[in-house]
Amino acid sequence: MFKWFVTWFHRFGSPPHFYRLAGRWLPWLTTLFVVTVIAGLYGGLVLAPADYQQGESFRIIYVHVPAAWMSMFIYVVMAFCGIVILVWRMKMAEIVLSCSAPIGASFTFLALVTGSLWGKPMWGTYWVWDARLTSELILLFLYLGVIGLYGAIDDKRVAARAVAILSIVGVVNIPIIHFSVEWWNSLHQGPTVTKFDKPSIDIRMLIPLLLMALAFQIYYVIALFQAARAAILQRERNSRWVEELVKP
Amino acid sequence: MTPARKKRLSLILLMVVGVAVGVGFALNALNENIMFFFSPADIKAGKAPANKDFRVGGMVVEGTVKRPGDGLTVEFDLTDNDSVVTVKYTGILPDLFREGQGIIANGKLDADGEFIAQEVLAKHDENYMPPEVMEAMKKSGQPMPGMDKKGI
């Protein structure tokens, strides 16, 4: 098992292999994404019953919650890549980190905007400086910091090491976001699904939510693969295999 | 793992632990500022700031919502299942405001110990269910959801 993992890791670590493998997987992933997103949206917007308190407005969770989960998940992926970059100096980790940052920033932005739009009718305000909202905003700034820092340094191998450190340090914010609603009094409600108790959501509402979470996860892989393939071609533009690939 | 890699990995782990401890201390020191609201029990215990705006959070006590002078002014009691504070507010209430609902009010205490609010926000709970399930739960006398340990 471990041996298999190591082989797989090394194969994925080689840019030409990654390029080909990602290219082969993309059509399948896209199909899977379309199926899950249609099932999730239909289940969430049509089949799921309205909430006893919020009525139809609760349906924003089908975008808001998966986006918020992804915003944290992608950051953890980036921090993991950061460790691989600093310890093993792997090129593919550099590419995955730098390509993940804009995707993660978009998910964070989406979570903040959808939450704000829901907050006005439900809470009575677009924005408050409570612990959950503030720490999620800091996450957006961390993402923007990674994007900016990576763009500011011309030598991409040096840039990757700089953003690796930023990503690793910033990961401290992730547990703060998750536990902010438990450690402090906040306006944002506590966790519904991601806790040890039984999820406090009706099963007919939960299934579409998990489907949407899966769809967002697949979307991240699709977006990452596409961005990474482009980044690989650019980085390896002087190598033989790219020359052969783009030969007319 | 080569010794050089081991060294780099332990340096990184040390860095993460260091930052985490630092942030932990900072947040602990700022604890009171990060608290979004005080509970009625905090006010009773004198923890809430005097002569300064702060937020109070609690549950609207059933049957205490009054509208004196039938204008926009509302008066209600707020509880955390320990202490009660009376809140006065003039303005538009959010959709989720109702008796038995968790809310957060922003304002200050007056001389009589009543809370004069400038803003009332509804706190939403983490339960999602269709109305008929809620009805069934009410009928069967199950404990109502939406109240965590603090009653909010």
Side-chain angles (χ1 to χ4, degrees), chain A residues 71-120:
Chain A
S71 73
M72 295 196 276
F73 174 78
I74 294 175
Y75 202 89
V76 173
V77 170
M78 283 167 51
F80 177 74
C81 286
I83 294 176
V84 175
I85 289 169
L86 292 179
V87 177
W88 287 276
R89 304 274 145 90
M90 228 171 95
K91 259 193 208 166
M92 266 326 292
E94 297 173 8
I95 290 169
V96 169
L97 197 166
S98 60
C99 292
S100 290
I103 310 170
S106 316
F107 278 125
T108 315
F109 183 73
L110 190 64
L112 286 168
V113 168
T114 50
S116 173
L117 291 175
W118 174 88
K120 185 63 187 172

Side-chain angles (χ1 to χ4, degrees), chain A residues 49-54 58 61 83 86-89 118 121-125 128-131 165 168-169 172 176 183-192 195 200-202 204-205, chain B residues 1 5 8-9 12 15-16 19-20 23 27 31 34-39 42 94-96 98 101 104 119-134 145-146 150:
Chain A
D51 183 57
Y52 76 109
Q53 262 193 335
Q54 305 175 52
F58 97 93
I61 65 164
I83 294 176
L86 292 179
V87 177
W88 287 276
R89 304 274 145 90
W118 174 88
M122 290 301 144
W123 289 340
T125 179
V128 286
W129 293 99
D130 87 342
I165 294 173
I168 294 168
V169 169
V172 173
I176 296 178
W183 291 342
W184 302 290
N185 292 333
S186 63
L187 184 59
H188 195 286
Q189 64 263 28
T192 296
K195 56 182 180 186
S200 40
I201 177 169
D202 195 83
R204 282 170 290 168
M205 298 165 164
Chain B
M1 228 190 275
R5 283 173 180 173
R8 288 203 291 260
L9 186 62
I12 291 167
M15 179 175 78
V16 172
V19 171
V23 171
L27 288 178
N31 208 8
I34 300 170
M35 279 296 168
F36 192 65
F37 56 84
F38 292 91
S39 64
D42 290 338
D95 279 10
L96 284 180
R98 65 199 71 176
Q101 174 76 36
I104 290 166
E119 187 186 28
V120 171
L121 302 176
K123 186 167 159 50
H124 180 252
D125 61 57
E126 69 275 23
N127 298 289
Y128 295 85
M129 60 181 133
E132 48 297 359
V133 175
M134 185 64 187
K150 296 185 206 99

Side-chain angles (χ1 to χ4, degrees), chain A residues 166-182:
Chain A
L166 182 55
S167 308
I168 294 168
V169 169
V171 86
V172 173
N173 191 32
I174 298 297
I176 296 178
I177 296 176
H178 181 79
F179 291 108
S180 56
V181 290
E182 291 174 13

